[in-house]
Amino acid sequence: MSEPKPPKRPAVDEPGERQDTDVVAAPKPKTKKPSMYRVLLLNDDYTPMEFVVYVLERFFNKNREESTHIMLHVHHHGVGVCGIYTYEVAETKVAQVLDAARRNQHPLQCTMERE
């Protein structure tokens, strides 16, 4: 004797009946964090300290105390970090500093390096 066959499921779900289905979720694309760059001020013997403080306040949104601290670090060590930014932002900050220095006839140098 053969075993009884299970009842056939209807092709269309009946109201109130749940049909199990597999859901395939698309994998999320993995985004890479952007490289960060340090913006550096370089010391020179001609740019006034007050102008360096002004630059730090104006272009790097530092308060007077932070600006003075960074300026003194640059003065004593020859170089100092103004901030860490993505490439495009760092490039813009360097250009702004160099432009302001040239307009005010100061030889202040500003560079960026990958962190």
Short mmCIF file of all heavy atoms in Angstrom, two decimals, residues 59-108:
data_model
loop_
_atom_site.label_atom_id
_atom_site.label_comp_id
_atom_site.label_asym_id
_atom_site.label_seq_id
_atom_site.Cartn_x
_atom_site.Cartn_y
_atom_site.Cartn_z
N PHE A 59 40.54 81.21 9.22
CA PHE A 59 40.40 80.10 8.30
C PHE A 59 40.25 78.73 8.96
O PHE A 59 39.82 77.77 8.32
CB PHE A 59 41.58 80.06 7.33
CG PHE A 59 41.70 81.32 6.52
CD1 PHE A 59 42.79 82.15 6.66
CD2 PHE A 59 40.71 81.69 5.62
CE1 PHE A 59 42.91 83.32 5.93
CE2 PHE A 59 40.80 82.86 4.89
CZ PHE A 59 41.91 83.68 5.04
N PHE A 60 40.62 78.64 10.24
CA PHE A 60 40.54 77.35 10.92
C PHE A 60 39.59 77.36 12.11
O PHE A 60 39.52 76.40 12.88
CB PHE A 60 41.95 76.92 11.36
CG PHE A 60 42.87 76.71 10.19
CD1 PHE A 60 43.70 77.73 9.76
CD2 PHE A 60 42.86 75.52 9.49
CE1 PHE A 60 44.53 77.57 8.67
CE2 PHE A 60 43.69 75.34 8.39
CZ PHE A 60 44.52 76.36 7.97
N ASN A 61 38.86 78.46 12.28
CA ASN A 61 37.84 78.60 13.33
C ASN A 61 38.38 78.27 14.72
O ASN A 61 37.72 77.64 15.53
CB ASN A 61 36.62 77.73 13.02
CG ASN A 61 35.96 78.13 11.74
OD1 ASN A 61 35.78 79.32 11.47
ND2 ASN A 61 35.60 77.15 10.92
N LYS A 62 39.59 78.72 14.98
CA LYS A 62 40.19 78.55 16.31
C LYS A 62 39.90 79.78 17.14
O LYS A 62 39.80 80.89 16.62
CB LYS A 62 41.72 78.36 16.20
CG LYS A 62 42.16 77.23 15.30
CD LYS A 62 41.83 75.89 15.88
CE LYS A 62 42.39 74.79 14.99
NZ LYS A 62 41.90 73.48 15.37
N ASN A 63 39.76 79.60 18.45
CA ASN A 63 39.58 80.77 19.31
C ASN A 63 40.95 81.39 19.58
O ASN A 63 41.98 80.86 19.17
CB ASN A 63 38.84 80.40 20.60
CG ASN A 63 39.58 79.38 21.44
OD1 ASN A 63 40.81 79.36 21.49
ND2 ASN A 63 38.83 78.50 22.10
N ARG A 64 40.98 82.50 20.26
CA ARG A 64 42.23 83.23 20.49
C ARG A 64 43.26 82.37 21.24
O ARG A 64 44.43 82.36 20.90
CB ARG A 64 41.92 84.52 21.27
CG ARG A 64 43.11 85.38 21.64
CD ARG A 64 43.85 85.95 20.47
NE ARG A 64 43.02 86.87 19.72
CZ ARG A 64 43.46 87.85 18.98
NH1 ARG A 64 44.76 88.08 18.91
NH2 ARG A 64 42.65 88.61 18.30
N GLU A 65 42.80 81.65 22.23
CA GLU A 65 43.71 80.83 23.03
C GLU A 65 44.33 79.70 22.19
O GLU A 65 45.55 79.48 22.23
CB GLU A 65 42.95 80.23 24.22
CG GLU A 65 43.83 79.48 25.20
CD GLU A 65 43.04 78.95 26.38
OE1 GLU A 65 42.03 79.58 26.76
OE2 GLU A 65 43.44 77.90 26.91
N GLU A 66 43.49 78.98 21.43
CA GLU A 66 44.01 77.90 20.57
C GLU A 66 44.96 78.45 19.51
O GLU A 66 46.01 77.86 19.24
CB GLU A 66 42.86 77.19 19.85
CG GLU A 66 42.01 76.29 20.70
CD GLU A 66 40.86 75.72 19.89
OE1 GLU A 66 40.04 76.50 19.37
OE2 GLU A 66 40.79 74.48 19.78
N SER A 67 44.58 79.58 18.93
CA SER A 67 45.41 80.20 17.89
C SER A 67 46.77 80.59 18.43
O SER A 67 47.80 80.36 17.78
CB SER A 67 44.71 81.44 17.33
OG SER A 67 43.50 81.08 16.72
N THR A 68 46.78 81.18 19.60
CA THR A 68 48.05 81.58 20.22
C THR A 68 48.91 80.37 20.53
O THR A 68 50.12 80.37 20.29
CB THR A 68 47.78 82.41 21.49
OG1 THR A 68 46.97 83.54 21.13
CG2 THR A 68 49.07 82.88 22.13
N HIS A 69 48.29 79.32 21.02
CA HIS A 69 49.02 78.09 21.34
C HIS A 69 49.65 77.49 20.08
O HIS A 69 50.84 77.13 20.09
CB HIS A 69 48.07 77.08 22.01
CG HIS A 69 48.73 75.79 22.34
ND1 HIS A 69 49.59 75.64 23.40
CD2 HIS A 69 48.66 74.58 21.73
CE1 HIS A 69 50.02 74.39 23.43
NE2 HIS A 69 49.47 73.73 22.43
N ILE A 70 48.89 77.39 19.00
CA ILE A 70 49.42 76.85 17.74
C ILE A 70 50.52 77.75 17.20
O ILE A 70 51.57 77.28 16.75
CB ILE A 70 48.30 76.65 16.71
CG1 ILE A 70 47.32 75.57 17.19
CG2 ILE A 70 48.86 76.28 15.33
CD1 ILE A 70 46.03 75.47 16.40
N MET A 71 50.30 79.06 17.23
CA MET A 71 51.30 80.01 16.73
C MET A 71 52.61 79.86 17.49
O MET A 71 53.69 79.85 16.88
CB MET A 71 50.75 81.44 16.87
CG MET A 71 51.73 82.53 16.44
SD MET A 71 52.82 83.12 17.77
CE MET A 71 51.66 83.77 18.94
N LEU A 72 52.56 79.74 18.82
CA LEU A 72 53.78 79.57 19.61
C LEU A 72 54.46 78.23 19.30
O LEU A 72 55.69 78.15 19.26
CB LEU A 72 53.47 79.69 21.10
CG LEU A 72 53.13 81.12 21.56
CD1 LEU A 72 52.65 81.11 23.01
CD2 LEU A 72 54.32 82.05 21.38
N HIS A 73 53.65 77.21 19.06
CA HIS A 73 54.22 75.90 18.69
C HIS A 73 54.96 76.02 17.36
O HIS A 73 56.08 75.51 17.21
CB HIS A 73 53.12 74.85 18.60
CG HIS A 73 53.63 73.48 18.37
ND1 HIS A 73 53.87 72.98 17.11
CD2 HIS A 73 53.98 72.51 19.23
CE1 HIS A 73 54.33 71.75 17.21
NE2 HIS A 73 54.41 71.44 18.49
N VAL A 74 54.36 76.70 16.40
CA VAL A 74 55.01 76.92 15.10
C VAL A 74 56.30 77.72 15.30
O VAL A 74 57.35 77.40 14.73
CB VAL A 74 54.06 77.65 14.12
CG1 VAL A 74 54.80 78.09 12.86
CG2 VAL A 74 52.88 76.77 13.76
N HIS A 75 56.24 78.74 16.13
CA HIS A 75 57.40 79.60 16.38
C HIS A 75 58.57 78.83 17.00
O HIS A 75 59.72 79.01 16.60
CB HIS A 75 56.98 80.76 17.28
CG HIS A 75 58.07 81.74 17.56
ND1 HIS A 75 58.58 82.58 16.59
CD2 HIS A 75 58.75 82.01 18.70
CE1 HIS A 75 59.53 83.33 17.12
NE2 HIS A 75 59.65 83.01 18.40
N HIS A 76 58.26 77.95 17.95
CA HIS A 76 59.32 77.23 18.66
C HIS A 76 59.79 75.96 17.95
O HIS A 76 60.95 75.59 18.07
CB HIS A 76 58.86 76.87 20.08
CG HIS A 76 58.66 78.06 20.95
ND1 HIS A 76 59.68 78.94 21.27
CD2 HIS A 76 57.56 78.55 21.57
CE1 HIS A 76 59.22 79.91 22.04
NE2 HIS A 76 57.93 79.69 22.24
N HIS A 77 58.88 75.29 17.23
CA HIS A 77 59.22 74.01 16.61
C HIS A 77 59.37 74.07 15.09
O HIS A 77 59.74 73.08 14.47
CB HIS A 77 58.17 72.96 16.97
CG HIS A 77 58.13 72.68 18.44
ND1 HIS A 77 57.26 73.32 19.28
CD2 HIS A 77 58.87 71.85 19.21
CE1 HIS A 77 57.45 72.88 20.52
NE2 HIS A 77 58.43 71.99 20.51
N GLY A 78 59.03 75.21 14.50
CA GLY A 78 59.20 75.37 13.06
C GLY A 78 58.02 74.94 12.21
O GLY A 78 57.91 75.31 11.05
N VAL A 79 57.12 74.17 12.79
CA VAL A 79 55.93 73.71 12.05
C VAL A 79 54.84 73.38 13.06
O VAL A 79 55.13 72.99 14.20
CB VAL A 79 56.26 72.48 11.16
CG1 VAL A 79 56.65 71.28 12.01
CG2 VAL A 79 55.14 72.14 10.21
N GLY A 80 53.59 73.53 12.64
CA GLY A 80 52.47 73.21 13.53
C GLY A 80 51.25 72.82 12.75
O GLY A 80 51.04 73.27 11.62
N VAL A 81 50.43 71.95 13.34
CA VAL A 81 49.21 71.46 12.70
C VAL A 81 48.06 72.42 12.99
O VAL A 81 47.77 72.72 14.15
CB VAL A 81 48.86 70.04 13.20
CG1 VAL A 81 47.55 69.56 12.58
CG2 VAL A 81 49.99 69.07 12.91
N CYS A 82 47.42 72.87 11.93
CA CYS A 82 46.26 73.76 12.06
C CYS A 82 44.96 72.97 12.16
O CYS A 82 44.00 73.42 12.76
CB CYS A 82 46.15 74.68 10.85
SG CYS A 82 47.61 75.65 10.57
N GLY A 83 44.93 71.81 11.51
CA GLY A 83 43.73 70.98 11.51
C GLY A 83 43.93 69.79 10.59
O GLY A 83 44.90 69.72 9.84
N ILE A 84 42.97 68.86 10.65
CA ILE A 84 43.00 67.65 9.83
C ILE A 84 41.69 67.58 9.07
O ILE A 84 40.60 67.63 9.67
CB ILE A 84 43.20 66.40 10.71
CG1 ILE A 84 44.52 66.53 11.48
CG2 ILE A 84 43.18 65.14 9.87
CD1 ILE A 84 44.74 65.47 12.53
N TYR A 85 41.79 67.49 7.74
CA TYR A 85 40.62 67.59 6.87
C TYR A 85 40.72 66.59 5.72
O TYR A 85 41.78 66.03 5.46
CB TYR A 85 40.53 69.01 6.28
CG TYR A 85 40.57 70.10 7.31
CD1 TYR A 85 41.76 70.74 7.63
CD2 TYR A 85 39.42 70.49 7.97
CE1 TYR A 85 41.80 71.74 8.58
CE2 TYR A 85 39.45 71.49 8.93
CZ TYR A 85 40.64 72.11 9.22
OH TYR A 85 40.68 73.10 10.17
N THR A 86 39.61 66.44 5.00
CA THR A 86 39.64 65.66 3.76
C THR A 86 40.48 66.44 2.74
O THR A 86 40.75 67.63 2.93
CB THR A 86 38.23 65.45 3.19
OG1 THR A 86 37.64 66.72 2.94
CG2 THR A 86 37.36 64.63 4.14
N TYR A 87 40.86 65.78 1.66
CA TYR A 87 41.76 66.38 0.68
C TYR A 87 41.26 67.73 0.16
O TYR A 87 42.00 68.71 0.17
CB TYR A 87 41.98 65.42 -0.49
CG TYR A 87 42.92 65.98 -1.53
CD1 TYR A 87 44.29 65.88 -1.35
CD2 TYR A 87 42.44 66.62 -2.66
CE1 TYR A 87 45.18 66.40 -2.28
CE2 TYR A 87 43.31 67.14 -3.60
CZ TYR A 87 44.67 67.03 -3.41
OH TYR A 87 45.54 67.56 -4.32
N GLU A 88 40.02 67.77 -0.28
CA GLU A 88 39.48 68.99 -0.88
C GLU A 88 39.43 70.14 0.12
O GLU A 88 39.75 71.29 -0.22
CB GLU A 88 38.08 68.75 -1.47
CG GLU A 88 38.05 67.85 -2.67
CD GLU A 88 38.11 66.36 -2.32
OE1 GLU A 88 38.01 66.01 -1.12
OE2 GLU A 88 38.27 65.57 -3.26
N VAL A 89 39.03 69.85 1.34
CA VAL A 89 38.95 70.89 2.36
C VAL A 89 40.35 71.38 2.72
O VAL A 89 40.60 72.59 2.81
CB VAL A 89 38.19 70.39 3.61
CG1 VAL A 89 38.23 71.42 4.73
CG2 VAL A 89 36.75 70.05 3.26
N ALA A 90 41.28 70.45 2.88
CA ALA A 90 42.67 70.82 3.20
C ALA A 90 43.27 71.68 2.10
O ALA A 90 43.93 72.68 2.37
CB ALA A 90 43.51 69.57 3.43
N GLU A 91 43.02 71.29 0.87
CA GLU A 91 43.55 72.03 -0.29
C GLU A 91 42.99 73.46 -0.30
O GLU A 91 43.73 74.42 -0.54
CB GLU A 91 43.14 71.29 -1.56
CG GLU A 91 43.75 71.81 -2.83
CD GLU A 91 43.35 70.94 -4.01
OE1 GLU A 91 42.16 70.59 -4.15
OE2 GLU A 91 44.25 70.63 -4.79
N THR A 92 41.72 73.60 0.02
CA THR A 92 41.09 74.93 0.07
C THR A 92 41.69 75.77 1.20
O THR A 92 41.99 76.96 1.00
CB THR A 92 39.58 74.79 0.26
OG1 THR A 92 39.04 74.04 -0.84
CG2 THR A 92 38.89 76.14 0.34
N LYS A 93 41.89 75.16 2.37
CA LYS A 93 42.45 75.90 3.50
C LYS A 93 43.87 76.39 3.18
O LYS A 93 44.20 77.54 3.46
CB LYS A 93 42.50 75.01 4.75
CG LYS A 93 41.16 74.52 5.22
CD LYS A 93 40.52 75.45 6.16
CE LYS A 93 39.23 74.87 6.71
NZ LYS A 93 38.38 75.89 7.28
N VAL A 94 44.68 75.54 2.57
CA VAL A 94 46.04 75.94 2.20
C VAL A 94 45.99 77.12 1.23
O VAL A 94 46.71 78.11 1.40
CB VAL A 94 46.81 74.75 1.57
CG1 VAL A 94 48.11 75.21 0.94
CG2 VAL A 94 47.09 73.68 2.62
N ALA A 95 45.12 77.04 0.23
CA ALA A 95 45.00 78.12 -0.76
C ALA A 95 44.55 79.42 -0.09
O ALA A 95 45.07 80.50 -0.41
CB ALA A 95 44.03 77.72 -1.86
N GLN A 96 43.61 79.34 0.84
CA GLN A 96 43.12 80.54 1.54
C GLN A 96 44.25 81.20 2.35
O GLN A 96 44.39 82.42 2.33
CB GLN A 96 41.96 80.18 2.47
CG GLN A 96 40.68 79.82 1.75
CD GLN A 96 39.61 79.33 2.71
OE1 GLN A 96 39.90 78.67 3.71
NE2 GLN A 96 38.37 79.65 2.40
N VAL A 97 45.02 80.39 3.05
CA VAL A 97 46.12 80.92 3.87
C VAL A 97 47.17 81.58 2.98
O VAL A 97 47.61 82.71 3.26
CB VAL A 97 46.75 79.82 4.74
CG1 VAL A 97 48.02 80.31 5.41
CG2 VAL A 97 45.75 79.33 5.79
N LEU A 98 47.57 80.88 1.93
CA LEU A 98 48.60 81.43 1.03
C LEU A 98 48.13 82.72 0.38
O LEU A 98 48.89 83.68 0.25
CB LEU A 98 48.99 80.40 -0.02
CG LEU A 98 49.71 79.15 0.52
CD1 LEU A 98 49.97 78.16 -0.60
CD2 LEU A 98 50.99 79.52 1.23
N ASP A 99 46.85 82.76 -0.02
CA ASP A 99 46.30 83.96 -0.64
C ASP A 99 46.29 85.14 0.34
O ASP A 99 46.69 86.25 -0.01
CB ASP A 99 44.89 83.67 -1.16
CG ASP A 99 44.30 84.84 -1.90
OD1 ASP A 99 44.96 85.36 -2.84
OD2 ASP A 99 43.17 85.26 -1.55
N ALA A 100 45.85 84.88 1.57
CA ALA A 100 45.81 85.95 2.58
C ALA A 100 47.23 86.44 2.89
O ALA A 100 47.45 87.66 3.04
CB ALA A 100 45.15 85.44 3.86
N ALA A 101 48.18 85.53 2.96
CA ALA A 101 49.57 85.92 3.23
C ALA A 101 50.11 86.79 2.11
O ALA A 101 50.76 87.82 2.36
CB ALA A 101 50.44 84.68 3.42
N ARG A 102 49.85 86.42 0.86
CA ARG A 102 50.34 87.20 -0.28
C ARG A 102 49.69 88.58 -0.33
O ARG A 102 50.37 89.58 -0.58
CB ARG A 102 50.06 86.48 -1.61
CG ARG A 102 50.74 85.14 -1.80
CD ARG A 102 52.27 85.21 -1.69
NE ARG A 102 52.82 83.90 -1.42
CZ ARG A 102 53.17 83.45 -0.22
NH1 ARG A 102 53.03 84.19 0.85
NH2 ARG A 102 53.67 82.25 -0.06
N ARG A 103 48.39 88.62 -0.09
CA ARG A 103 47.68 89.92 -0.11
C ARG A 103 48.22 90.87 0.96
O ARG A 103 48.19 92.08 0.78
CB ARG A 103 46.18 89.71 0.09
CG ARG A 103 45.46 89.33 -1.20
CD ARG A 103 43.94 89.31 -1.04
NE ARG A 103 43.55 88.04 -0.40
CZ ARG A 103 42.95 87.94 0.78
NH1 ARG A 103 42.63 89.00 1.48
NH2 ARG A 103 42.64 86.75 1.29
N ASN A 104 48.70 90.29 2.06
CA ASN A 104 49.25 91.10 3.15
C ASN A 104 50.77 91.18 3.12
O ASN A 104 51.40 91.62 4.08
CB ASN A 104 48.76 90.56 4.50
CG ASN A 104 47.29 90.82 4.71
OD1 ASN A 104 46.90 91.90 5.11
ND2 ASN A 104 46.45 89.84 4.39
N GLN A 105 51.35 90.70 2.03
CA GLN A 105 52.79 90.75 1.79
C GLN A 105 53.61 90.06 2.89
O GLN A 105 54.62 90.59 3.34
CB GLN A 105 53.24 92.19 1.58
CG GLN A 105 52.56 92.83 0.39
CD GLN A 105 52.95 94.27 0.19
OE1 GLN A 105 53.68 94.85 1.00
NE2 GLN A 105 52.47 94.86 -0.88
N HIS A 106 53.13 88.86 3.28
CA HIS A 106 53.86 88.05 4.25
C HIS A 106 54.32 86.77 3.56
O HIS A 106 53.60 86.22 2.72
CB HIS A 106 52.98 87.68 5.45
CG HIS A 106 52.53 88.87 6.24
ND1 HIS A 106 53.42 89.77 6.81
CD2 HIS A 106 51.29 89.32 6.54
CE1 HIS A 106 52.73 90.70 7.44
NE2 HIS A 106 51.44 90.45 7.29
N PRO A 107 55.49 86.25 3.93
CA PRO A 107 56.00 85.03 3.31
C PRO A 107 55.50 83.74 3.98
O PRO A 107 56.10 82.67 3.80
CB PRO A 107 57.51 85.17 3.45
CG PRO A 107 57.68 85.93 4.73
CD PRO A 107 56.51 86.90 4.76
N LEU A 108 54.45 83.82 4.74
CA LEU A 108 53.91 82.65 5.47
C LEU A 108 53.67 81.49 4.51
O LEU A 108 53.07 81.66 3.46
CB LEU A 108 52.61 83.02 6.18
CG LEU A 108 51.95 81.93 7.02
CD1 LEU A 108 52.84 81.54 8.20
CD2 LEU A 108 50.59 82.40 7.52
#
